[in-house]
Amino acid sequence: MSALEYSPYAADCPSRQLLDRIGDRWSVLTIGTLADGPARYSAIAARVQGVSQKMLTQTLRALERDGFVTRTVFPEIPPHVEYELTDRGRSLRAVLEPLEAWATSHMDEVAVSRDEYDARAR
């Protein structure tokens, strides 16, 4: 299947699964955390507040499976594991960074809209 044949609007298209992965908040935040360079699991968990151990493990595995992250095990006692963005992961970060900036710069406006909507909905 060539890139021209993929359509996330088609229910069975694998590109829809990819959009689900890269649009997931834990993926976005994990990729953002790794933008500064390789990190250990505990450092990622500390930065991405609110993520459970299970969810972070699942997210890292999925990002590794899709080729956005590499996992390197250092043969030490105890084992030392680091995660790092691949070239594909860094190219995705370049796309996600403006989205993150947009979200933070427009949050005040969105909060006002939410308050106005909630007041009307009562």
Side-chain angles (χ1 to χ4, degrees):
M1 197 177 253
S2 74
L4 295 177
E5 296 177 45
Y6 290 117
S7 172
Y9 297 95
D12 61 346
C13 185
S15 65
R16 184 179 283 192
Q17 293 171 347
L18 182 58
L19 281 176
D20 286 344
R21 167 63 45 224
I22 63 179
D24 172 74
R25 71 175 156 176
W26 302 125
S27 294
V28 170
L29 297 172
T30 300
I31 289 168
T33 296
L34 292 173
D36 295 333
R40 295 178 80 158
Y41 182 95
S42 59
I44 299 167
R47 175 107 190 264
V48 182
Q49 297 176 9
V51 68
S52 68
Q53 181 178 357
K54 177 182 176 183
M55 188 53 63
L56 182 55
T57 297
Q58 288 176 352
T59 299
L60 286 165
R61 284 182 183 157
L63 292 172
E64 183 180 8
R65 180 176 184 247
D66 289 342
F68 296 117
V69 169
T70 58
R71 179 180 183 268
T72 304
V73 179
F74 296 89
E76 302 172 357
I77 307 282
H80 172 139
V81 178
E82 284 187 349
Y83 296 89
E84 184 174 13
L85 291 178
T86 62
D87 288 342
R88 184 178 305 141
R90 284 187 288 281
S91 71
L92 178 57
R93 174 61 183 158
V95 173
L96 294 175
E97 194 169 19
L99 180 61
E100 185 179 310
W102 186 93
T104 56
S105 68
H106 288 81
M107 193 60 235
D108 287 341
E109 298 165 29
V110 171
V112 168
S113 293
R114 287 176 178 176
D115 290 344
E116 290 172 352
Y117 178 90
D118 292 346
R120 287 192 311 269
R122 290 182 196 162

